[in-house]
Amino acid sequence: MWQLLQFPLCPFSRKVRLLMGEKGIAYSLVRENPWEYRDEFLHMNPAARTPVLVDSARNLTLSDSVAITEFIEETSDTAPMISGSATYRAEIRRLVAWFDQQFYGDVTAPLLHERMKKRLVHRQPPDSSVLREAMRLANGHLDYIDYLIDHRSWMAGSTMSMADLAAAAQLSVADYLGGIDWSGHEQTKAWYSMFKSRPSFRPLLSERMEAITPPSYYEQVDF
Amino acid sequence: MWQLLQFPLCPFSRKVRLLMGEKGIAYSLVRENPWEYRDEFLHMNPAARTPVLVDSARNLTLSDSVAITEFIEETSDTAPMISGSATYRAEIRRLVAWFDQQFYGDVTAPLLHERMKKRLVHRQPPDSSVLREAMRLANGHLDYIDYLIDHRSWMAGSTMSMADLAAAAQLSVADYLGGIDWSGHEQTKAWYSMFKSRPSFRPLLSERMEAITPPSYYEQVDF
């Protein structure tokens, strides 16, 4: 069986877990704190990032969340999440990169640094100006998601895709860390509320990161 | 015909151009300086990054270099660069992400900022401590590439792949900006020398960015 090395607030691990959940692929979780740079972990992934997906029986060690999700797409024939025409697939992948890189860089990464790493690793208080800027940028991102959802049924078009999973992964971590102000973003809120009720998402939402408490509405479908 | 919006030192545009060159796909170049945030360009790609690949006749606008290269792979049947077993394809994609993100973040991005953007946009001198750190990290990256080439014929295994194109794209920009010290890296040097002689690479190496001169050996196959 697959083992997924991750920590509860890793958005890239969440993206892979949502995909495996949607496809009904079984896996067990192994806790990894990439910021500890454990030798064995660096040997598995020199980039020192989670997720890493391992199947010891088959001697397989996969890393990089895009490489992993493409691998899962190619080796599973249920619930394809990068499907349709080549143009539609390019739009799905463009949006995955948008959430993995732009949303992560603007919002999730600074929130994780200020509210998780500073608390667990550096024992420092968060920098409120960095938090304010991340929340300001989050608001701009929600405007863009509102626009997408207004013009399409799902993030990339008429079907649920990897783009929705990548978006939900980043948004859920940012929401856990109190970085999302949902007011005025009814389209994104409705999409996220629907997403929260999916069986692939429930187990992620019930997990907690030690010493960090999410807002009271974090797990609720109506929020 | 395809139009590629790019600037001469964009490593992600170089990756796409190497792929199109290897496949013999024709395109024309359109100069875009993403740091000018031109409205029309932001409309094409809200991430404000090059490359953007356009075919006006077919009303196609593609952005994000990974989405573009996957699109080209899926719609062309010559010279596949993401091929082989699912496991091999995962290794190719892991290394593409390595060069696009780790190498770029550690080496190419700081070099571009200090030696190109500061000169062309901010009219400031480069920060020599940032340059030193980028060159120190570049040396570590070359050690890793030496190790890969020592164990494999090409970057990801027995065939030339997207991983080689991603590596050559980043390395060539870093080399143009004087950030690579080749001494002591014979394996990587031999691989890069061979790569420099490929017809897909020659046109890129002969281009110049205004106001920035590469080292004298930059274009030479023997260096």
Side-chain angles (χ1 to χ4, degrees):
Chain A
M1 191 168 77
W2 290 110
Q3 288 192 312
L4 188 74
L5 285 76
Q6 61 110 49
F7 62 97
L9 291 180
C10 171
F12 304 101
S13 304
R14 286 187 174 213
K15 183 180 70 169
V16 169
R17 293 177 66 186
L18 287 171
L19 181 63
M20 296 179 88
E22 289 293 330
K23 287 179 180 283
I25 299 172
Y27 61 91
S28 62
L29 293 177
V30 178
R31 174 62 182 265
E32 182 69 45
N33 296 332
W35 54 87
E36 292 173 1
Y37 298 100
R38 198 167 58 87
D39 281 348
E40 267 182 70
F41 182 62
L42 288 175
H43 186 71
M44 284 190 249
N45 181 15
R49 292 182 75 170
T50 47
V52 171
L53 189 64
V54 178
D55 183 343
S56 339
R58 290 195 287 161
N59 198 24
L60 277 178
T61 301
L62 308 176
S63 62
D64 178 66
S65 72
V66 167
I68 291 173
T69 51
E70 296 278 353
F71 177 92
I72 293 171
E73 276 291 286
E74 291 179 358
T75 54
S76 137
D77 43 18
T78 56
M81 291 286 155
I82 309 175
S83 62
S85 69
T87 312
Y88 187 51
R89 292 159 67 90
E91 176 64 358
I92 293 169
R93 291 192 177 104
R94 176 186 80 81
L95 285 168
V96 169
W98 175 269
F99 290 108
D100 283 2
Q101 292 168 35
Q102 258 71 32
F103 190 102
Y104 176 74
D106 288 345
V107 181
T108 325
L111 286 169
L112 279 169
H113 186 76
E114 296 300 325
R115 291 219 161 120
M116 185 192 75
K117 275 190 82 177
K118 278 197 173 173
R119 174 149 196 168
L120 299 182
V121 186
H122 307 297
R123 312 275 169 190
Q124 288 170 348
D127 181 329
S128 57
S129 66
V130 174
L131 289 176
R132 267 198 306 277
E133 176 64 5
M135 292 181 74
R136 191 185 68 79
L137 293 173
N139 198 52
H141 276 282
L142 290 191
D143 285 343
Y144 184 54
I145 303 175
D146 285 342
Y147 164 84
L148 292 174
I149 302 282
D150 239 10
H151 289 74
R152 304 164 164 183
S153 321
W154 297 85
M155 212 59 75
S158 57
T159 57
M160 189 172 86
S161 76
M162 252 347 276
D164 297 277
L165 308 188
Q170 296 291 335
L171 267 172
S172 65
V173 173
D175 195 36
Y176 187 113
L177 296 167
I180 304 292
D181 179 356
W182 293 98
S183 57
H185 298 289
E186 294 311 315
Q187 293 93 329
T188 306
K189 205 174 158 178
W191 165 88
Y192 189 58
S193 170
M194 180 277 312
F195 217 91
K196 271 180 158 177
S197 63
R198 294 189 79 83
S200 65
F201 207 9
R202 300 303 308 161
L204 277 72
L205 291 172
S206 65
E207 281 174 31
R208 292 293 174 271
M209 185 84 191
E210 60 276 12
I212 305 168
T213 309
S216 56
Y217 58 80
Y218 166 71
E219 209 176 330
Q220 294 163 16
V221 172
D222 289 318
F223 59 104
Chain B
M1 192 168 78
W2 291 109
Q3 287 192 312
L4 187 75
L5 284 76
Q6 61 109 50
F7 62 98
L9 290 181
C10 170
F12 304 101
S13 304
R14 287 188 173 212
K15 183 179 69 170
V16 168
R17 293 176 67 186
L18 286 171
L19 180 63
M20 296 179 88
E22 289 293 329
K23 288 179 180 281
I25 299 172
Y27 61 92
S28 61
L29 293 176
V30 179
R31 174 63 181 264
E32 182 69 45
N33 295 332
W35 55 87
E36 291 172 0
Y37 298 99
R38 198 167 56 89
D39 281 348
E40 266 182 69
F41 182 62
L42 287 176
H43 186 70
M44 283 189 249
N45 181 15
R49 292 183 74 171
T50 47
V52 171
L53 189 63
V54 178
D55 184 342
S56 338
R58 289 195 285 161
N59 197 25
L60 277 178
T61 302
L62 307 176
S63 62
D64 177 68
S65 72
V66 167
I68 292 173
T69 52
E70 296 278 353
F71 177 92
I72 294 171
E73 277 291 287
E74 291 180 358
T75 54
S76 137
D77 43 19
T78 57
M81 291 287 153
I82 308 175
S83 62
S85 69
T87 311
Y88 187 51
R89 292 159 68 90
E91 177 63 357
I92 293 169
R93 290 190 177 104
R94 176 186 79 81
L95 285 167
V96 169
W98 175 268
F99 290 108
D100 283 2
Q101 292 168 36
Q102 257 71 31
F103 191 102
Y104 176 74
D106 289 345
V107 181
T108 325
L111 287 168
L112 279 169
H113 185 76
E114 297 301 325
R115 291 218 162 121
M116 185 193 74
K117 275 189 82 178
K118 278 196 173 172
R119 174 149 196 168
L120 299 181
V121 186
H122 307 296
R123 312 276 169 190
Q124 288 171 350
D127 180 328
S128 57
S129 67
V130 174
L131 289 175
R132 267 198 304 276
E133 176 64 6
M135 291 181 73
R136 191 186 68 79
L137 293 173
N139 198 50
H141 276 281
L142 290 191
D143 285 342
Y144 184 54
I145 303 175
D146 285 342
Y147 164 84
L148 292 174
I149 302 282
D150 241 8
H151 289 75
R152 305 163 164 183
S153 321
W154 296 86
M155 212 60 74
S158 57
T159 57
M160 189 173 87
S161 75
M162 253 344 277
D164 297 277
L165 308 188
Q170 296 291 335
L171 267 171
S172 65
V173 173
D175 195 35
Y176 187 112
L177 296 168
I180 304 292
D181 179 355
W182 293 99
S183 57
H185 299 289
E186 294 311 314
Q187 293 93 328
T188 306
K189 206 174 158 178
W191 165 87
Y192 189 58
S193 171
M194 180 277 312
F195 218 91
K196 271 179 158 178
S197 63
R198 294 190 78 82
S200 65
F201 207 9
R202 299 304 307 161
L204 277 72
L205 290 171
S206 65
E207 282 174 30
R208 293 293 174 271
M209 186 83 191
E210 60 276 14
I212 304 167
T213 310
S216 55
Y217 58 80
Y218 166 69
E219 209 176 331
Q220 293 163 17
V221 172
D222 290 318
F223 59 104

